[in-house]
Amino acid sequence: MRDFVRICGLPRWEPVEVLTNQSAKNQLIATEPFWFAYTVFFHALLTADRWLIAGYSFRDACVNDILAQVWTHRKNNPPQILVVAYGDEPKYEEISAAIWGGNRSVAAPTRANLRVYRHGIAVAPNCSTWARWDGAGLGDVAWQLT
């Protein structure tokens, strides 16, 4: 992020942490500096062939909305997605639904482009699921949600 800011010639800013409820967050992300962070996130997802999502519950409507918007934009060129969790939650169906967003004009993710590894990020790079995901895309990982 800092390199992006430097390259674009934008003023440097430090991230701000805000604890709020979901409805207030919907309003906050339309303002700076949050708008900028979500915009960078959106554009990074648009261009990356592979997405690594680690430690995310898929319960944040604002993030899920961005995932679904990008999924819709990329319907003809879906990314390879690896979700790394620890344990049984979130369920595969919840992950797929969050990324897809319920848009009937596009297909939902399939097991061909959405993989879930459930033994944590510490060992994920050494597993066969990671190797299949890593070999599937040609570009860089856009963003990591941790």
Side-chain angles (χ1 to χ4, degrees):
M1 177 72 86
R2 291 183 201 279
D3 289 337
F4 180 82
V5 171
R6 183 179 45 77
I7 290 168
C8 293
L10 299 170
R12 292 179 63 100
W13 55 271
E14 291 297 320
V16 177
E17 293 182 32
V18 176
L19 299 177
T20 187
N21 61 34
Q22 194 66 52
S23 62
K25 184 176 182 183
N26 288 335
Q27 295 173 347
L28 277 174
I29 66 168
T31 65
E32 292 293 343
F34 308 105
W35 174 85
F36 178 72
Y38 278 82
T39 299
V40 170
F41 180 50
F42 178 88
H43 288 285
L45 291 173
L46 275 177
T47 60
D49 294 320
R50 295 176 294 143
W51 299 354
L52 172 61
I53 303 171
Y56 177 55
S57 69
F58 291 89
R59 291 187 182 101
D60 185 321
C62 297
V63 172
N64 292 349
D65 286 347
I66 290 174
L67 294 171
Q69 288 173 29
V70 173
W71 185 259
T72 297
H73 282 298
R74 299 205 43 185
K75 65 184 174 188
N76 296 323
N77 183 26
Q80 292 293 316
I81 305 167
L82 175 60
V83 175
V84 179
Y86 192 80
D88 296 334
E89 297 293 328
K91 301 288 185 210
Y92 183 90
E93 294 75 19
E94 294 170 319
I95 296 167
S96 179
I99 293 169
W100 175 48
N103 183 344
R104 302 265 182 234
S105 69
V106 298
T110 67
R111 296 196 187 268
N113 56 4
L114 173 59
R115 295 171 177 86
V116 180
Y117 180 74
R118 300 198 173 274
H119 301 287
I121 194 66
V123 295
N126 301 317
C127 75
S128 60
T129 303
W130 183 290
R132 284 190 302 276
W133 167 80
D134 192 29
L138 301 174
D140 294 326
V141 174
W143 201 270
Q144 295 181 9
L145 293 177
T146 55

